[in-house]
Amino acid sequence: MTGIERDELREVSAAVLAVTAHLSVRDVLQTILTTARRLLDARYAALGIPDSKGSFREFLADGISDEQWVAIGPVPRQHGVLGLMLCDPNPVRLANIRDHPQFGWWPAAHPELTDFLGMPIVDGAEILGELFLANSCRPGGFTAEDEELLRLLAAHAAIALVNARLYERGRELSIVEERNRIARELHDAVTQKLFSLRLVAEAASTLLDQDPSRAREELAAVRRLAAEATDELRAIVVGQRPVDLTGDELDVALRKQVDLLDRVHEPAVRFVGSCVGRLSDEAQQAVFRIAQEALHNALRHAGASRIDVDLVSRNGNVVLSVTDDGRGFDSGTAAEENRRLGLASMRERARSVGARLSVTSTPGAGTTVRLAVPA
């Protein structure tokens, strides 16, 4: 293998790795675009992802300066050769783009293009976008070998776009599941309490003239049920409030959450953690949501008098612990208890960020939920 071939292999490898790395889709596409221009020795390169309004929702260029980009003006419309490549999956290779029958025009500040190699980005029969190069720096212009290499890079761009689409669909499904969970909680907890509240209030109204002493007892039950229903609603609303950690470190956000719950619930809720530095946004969201779920479970099911939340850095991990002194449960009821406490969703959140979740419990001695996230 020659030095040039090794360099080409290294460039292709970088583009492939970009698809699998934890980068934004835009970063991946920019890496593929830059790689294509370097490997095929072109002066200019661009990559466009169409929108539904005749333009492009994403249009990246390589080989022009920021000043040129501003001078060129708005992103192009889906016309001419660019429009053709969104309808026809075949590549376009030309010695001079102006010779193409569908060539239209370009803005006054646009670079003068000569030889051209365009490749639709396809997934099956669907065209997701287009990748093209212009003004080859090699004598003779773009070749059939260049075309095959660009086809490979366009395939990796397609993988990145499909992955992004799958992620978005997964996120939408998660939102639907979360809405369903809220509906179940409202039905199972709040609705039952409100129904009981109505029955007791009707009983108190009936007894008011006949047995005032008994009516006072029923009205006390009305107050208790109303307070419980209010707590249930407050817990659900607090749990669904959007998490914004951009202005706070994770420990500060958790402390605020704990302070709020301590004010509105009877058990003492305490935060004994410390600053652990910044995790990725996804990891911070997962830790915060799992802490919320564990706190909600302890407040609703444990019958605890105290709940402690601890957040520390330990052995290369950020470790969250939520411990209560409630009733606990034994291994014989673990499966049912896990289902009731929604631990499957907590474990799924943990897995999504490479974390480990464990739950330990002893009858009469409380429960501890522990999460370890690689720092």
Side-chain angles (χ1 to χ4, degrees):
M1 179 180 293
T2 67
I4 294 176
E5 290 172 332
R6 280 195 295 270
D7 290 342
E8 290 183 350
L9 182 59
R10 192 177 300 112
E11 293 273 8
V12 173
S13 176
V16 173
L17 290 174
V19 176
T20 59
H22 295 291
L23 300 174
S24 70
V25 178
R26 184 183 177 89
D27 288 342
V28 173
L29 296 178
Q30 186 65 59
T31 299
I32 291 172
L33 179 63
T34 302
T35 300
R37 188 176 74 83
R38 289 176 180 169
L39 277 177
L40 278 67
D41 203 9
R43 180 68 184 87
Y44 305 110
L47 187 152
I49 308 300
D51 60 18
S52 59
K53 302 175 183 179
S55 184
F56 290 86
R57 63 178 175 86
E58 196 78 76
F59 196 87
L60 307 176
D62 195 63
I64 65 172
S65 66
D66 292 341
E67 292 76 12
Q68 285 178 294
W69 181 260
V70 171
I72 290 170
V75 297
R77 305 288 297 175
Q78 297 173 21
H79 62 79
V81 180
L82 298 188
L84 171 68
M85 289 194 294
L86 296 175
C87 304
D88 187 341
N90 295 304
V92 176
R93 180 157 52 98
L94 302 165
N96 191 326
I97 189 174
R98 297 186 188 190
D99 293 337
H100 194 281
Q102 289 190 229
F103 173 75
W105 56 277
W106 50 56
H110 196 283
E112 293 287 324
L113 305 185
T114 54
D115 42 349
F116 179 92
L117 176 58
M119 185 67 62
I121 300 171
V122 299
D123 175 45
E126 182 182 4
I127 299 177
L128 306 176
E130 56 192 43
L131 171 62
F132 65 86
L133 306 172
N135 296 27
S136 175
C137 298
R138 300 171 185 167
F142 298 112
T143 65
E145 289 77 12
D146 293 335
E147 187 176 307
E148 287 306 307
L149 185 52
L150 192 61
R151 191 190 305 275
L152 173 65
L153 293 170
H156 290 304
I159 293 171
L161 292 168
V162 171
N163 284 347
R165 181 183 295 175
L166 291 174
Y167 174 81
E168 182 61 25
R169 288 176 180 171
R171 192 178 69 85
E172 290 171 359
L173 287 174
S174 296
I175 292 172
V176 172
E177 290 171 359
E178 191 72 2
R179 287 175 178 167
N180 290 339
R181 186 183 73 82
I182 297 170
R184 287 195 302 271
E185 287 191 2
L186 286 169
H187 181 271
D188 294 344
V190 181
T191 304
Q192 292 178 20
K193 281 189 171 62
L194 291 176
F195 182 70
S196 299
L197 181 63
R198 178 182 175 184
L199 291 180
V200 176
E202 289 176 352
S205 177
T206 302
L207 292 168
L208 194 59
D209 294 328
Q210 303 172 5
D211 190 346
S213 177
R214 178 74 183 279
R216 282 193 293 272
E217 293 177 3
E218 295 296 334
L219 287 173
V222 167
R223 285 194 296 270
R224 177 179 57 79
L225 287 169
E228 291 178 1
T230 300
D231 286 345
E232 291 286 354
L233 280 170
R234 186 182 290 115
I236 291 171
V237 170
V238 168
Q240 298 315 310
R241 188 174 295 157
V243 182
D244 182 7
L245 299 172
T246 55
D248 289 332
E249 296 289 347
L250 181 59
D251 63 304
V252 175
L254 283 173
R255 187 184 298 278
K256 289 179 180 178
Q257 177 75 8
V258 166
D259 288 346
L260 173 63
L261 295 177
D262 185 53
R263 290 196 301 270
V264 300
H265 289 281
E266 184 176 348
V269 188
R270 298 291 182 262
F271 182 78
V272 292
S274 59
C275 179
V276 293
R278 297 287 293 186
L279 295 169
S280 69
D281 290 343
E282 294 80 6
Q284 288 194 100
Q285 291 281 335
V287 173
F288 192 89
R289 285 303 192 190
I290 288 171
Q292 278 189 316
E293 188 71 24
L295 284 163
H296 173 76
N297 289 337
L299 290 166
R300 184 175 179 184
H301 301 296
S305 62
R306 182 182 176 98
I307 304 167
D308 291 320
V309 179
D310 190 17
L311 184 73
V312 296
S313 292
R314 183 180 300 141
N315 300 327
N317 293 311
V318 171
V319 180
L320 167 76
S321 298
V322 180
T323 302
D324 67 71
D325 62 356
R327 64 177 62 93
F329 57 93
D330 60 35
S331 58
T333 63
E336 175 61 23
E337 196 69 16
N338 287 356
R339 181 197 66 76
R340 187 165 70 98
L341 298 182
L343 292 181
S345 63
M346 295 168 67
R347 288 197 170 96
E348 182 57 35
R349 284 189 192 276
R351 278 195 296 270
S352 71
V353 294
R356 300 185 306 279
L357 182 77
S358 63
V359 180
T360 56
S361 187
T362 303
T367 300
T368 295
V369 176
R370 183 177 182 275
L371 177 73
V373 186

